[in-house]
Amino acid sequence: MAAPSRKPIVAGNWKMNLDGAKARALTAAVAGRQAEAAGVELVLCPPALYASAVADALGLKGGVGPSGVALGGQNMHDKQSGAYTGEVAAGMLRDVGCRYVILGHSERRSLFGETDGQVNAKVKAALAAGLVPIVCVGESLQERESGRTESVVSEQVLASLAGIPAVELGRIVVAYEPVWAIGTGKVATPQQAQDVHALIRALLSRLSSPEVAATIRLQYGGSVKPDNAADLAACTDIDGALVGGASLQADDFLAIARAFG
Ligand code: PEP
C-alpha cells in the first residue's frame, strides 16, 4: 500500500487503439465514475490525435477538469518545434491539456529504437514544459532469466534520469514494466514487482535524497487486471499501475483503480 505521502496513480495507456467516438465514450464512462476510485489519481493516455477530444470530454481547463481525471501523452519529441515530421512536442501536449506523458515505454524502446539517452532528453524537455513524465523501465525475459534484472533496470533508471535536479526528480513518476509481462497475460508476482520497486526507490534516493525518493510514485505495469491488482497494491513500494489492455474497458480500469484506493 502506498505511503500516505504518495497519492496512488493509475494510468491507462490506450496505445494505438479506439477511434474518436470510442475514445470519447470511454472517457465519459471513466470520468462519470471517478468517485468509485476516490483518493486515486486517474490518468488517460489516448493516441495523440484524440488528446483534444478526450480533453473536451473531461472538461479540462489548464489541465484540470471537474472529474479530476488527468490527461497524458504516450510519447513526445525532445525538441520544442521544428522539422520533425509526424512528431509532437511537450508544449503541444500541454497546450491540449496534458499533465502527464509516458516516456521510454518498452514498445518505444524495442520497436522504435529509443535509447536511454533519448529518454533522458525527453524527460528534461517534458519537465521544462511543465509535464510530469511517467518514465518506463523494465527487463526482457532473457535478461531476467540470465539474472540481469537488477543491472538492466539500474542502468535504465540512472541513464534515463541522469542530470535531473533532485527537486525536479520529486515530480516524476517511474513505471516498472517487465517487458515479458506487457500484453502477455503473465503478471510479475507481487514479490518480484516489490523487489524491483524497492531497488528503483533506492536508486532514486541516490539520485536525490531519501526524503525526495520517499515521495516519488512508482507504478507497476504488465498485464495488470482486476483480479491481480489488489495483491500488487498491497506492496509497500507499489503506488499505482500503468495499464494497457485493461484500460480499454471502463469497468476493468476502474476496478484496478479501486484496488489502489
Ligand atoms: C503497457 O503497455 O504499458 C501495459 C502495461 O500493457 P498491458 O497492461 O496490456 O500488459
Side-chain angles (χ1 to χ4, degrees):
M1 189 56 68
S5 56
R6 303 193 295 266
K7 183 174 187 179
I9 176 167
V10 174
N13 174 12
W14 294 357
K15 310 194 186 191
M16 197 172 73
N17 292 303
L18 307 178
D19 58 23
K22 287 181 181 145
R24 277 187 290 272
L26 179 55
T27 303
V30 171
R33 295 170 55 188
Q34 191 278 339
E36 291 178 20
V40 179
E41 186 168 11
L42 301 182
V43 186
L44 303 181
C45 302
L49 196 62
Y50 298 135
S52 289
V54 171
D56 287 347
L58 290 173
L60 291 186
K61 285 204 174 57
V64 183
S67 69
V69 178
L71 179 64
Q74 297 180 8
N75 179 39
M76 50 167 257
H77 198 276
D78 63 291
K79 297 290 185 295
Q80 289 178 11
S81 63
Y84 302 101
T85 301
E87 294 288 330
V88 297
M92 296 170 182
L93 293 175
R94 275 283 285 181
D95 193 31
V96 298
C98 288
R99 197 186 302 163
Y100 291 91
V101 61
I102 298 169
L103 295 177
H105 189 280
S106 72
E107 286 151 18
R108 298 295 320 167
R109 292 175 186 266
S110 66
L111 302 174
F112 302 96
E114 212 164 281
T115 63
D116 286 331
Q118 287 169 319
V119 176
N120 183 247
K122 291 181 181 196
V123 171
K124 289 174 178 163
L127 288 167
L131 289 170
V132 176
I134 298 176
V135 183
C136 302
V137 298
E139 80 289 358
S140 67
L141 185 59
Q142 196 196 22
E143 288 163 342
R144 175 163 282 271
E145 286 178 342
S146 58
R148 290 192 292 137
T149 299
E150 278 197 19
S151 62
V152 167
V153 171
S154 300
E155 173 63 23
Q156 288 175 338
V157 169
L158 296 175
S160 301
L161 302 178
I164 295 169
V167 61
E168 294 282 275
L169 275 180
R171 294 174 45 209
I172 65 163
V173 175
V174 178
Y176 168 56
E177 298 206 303
V179 179
W180 49 270
I182 295 179
T184 60
K186 283 187 206 153
V187 65
T189 65
Q191 192 59 55
Q192 285 174 323
Q194 168 58 29
D195 287 349
V196 179
H197 280 233
L199 166 74
I200 293 171
R201 201 174 301 286
L203 293 166
L204 292 170
S205 175
R206 244 169 67 192
L207 287 172
S208 57
S209 67
E211 293 73 25
V212 170
T215 66
I216 297 176
R217 293 177 296 176
L218 307 183
Q219 295 176 314
Y220 169 80
S223 296
V224 180
K225 307 283 180 224
D227 63 358
N228 58 33
D231 287 344
L232 292 161
C235 298
T236 321
D237 287 295
I238 301 184
D239 310 310
L242 182 52
V243 186
S247 72
L248 298 173
Q249 303 286 341
D251 283 347
D252 287 355
F253 185 61
L254 288 161
I256 290 168
R258 280 197 301 274
F260 284 89

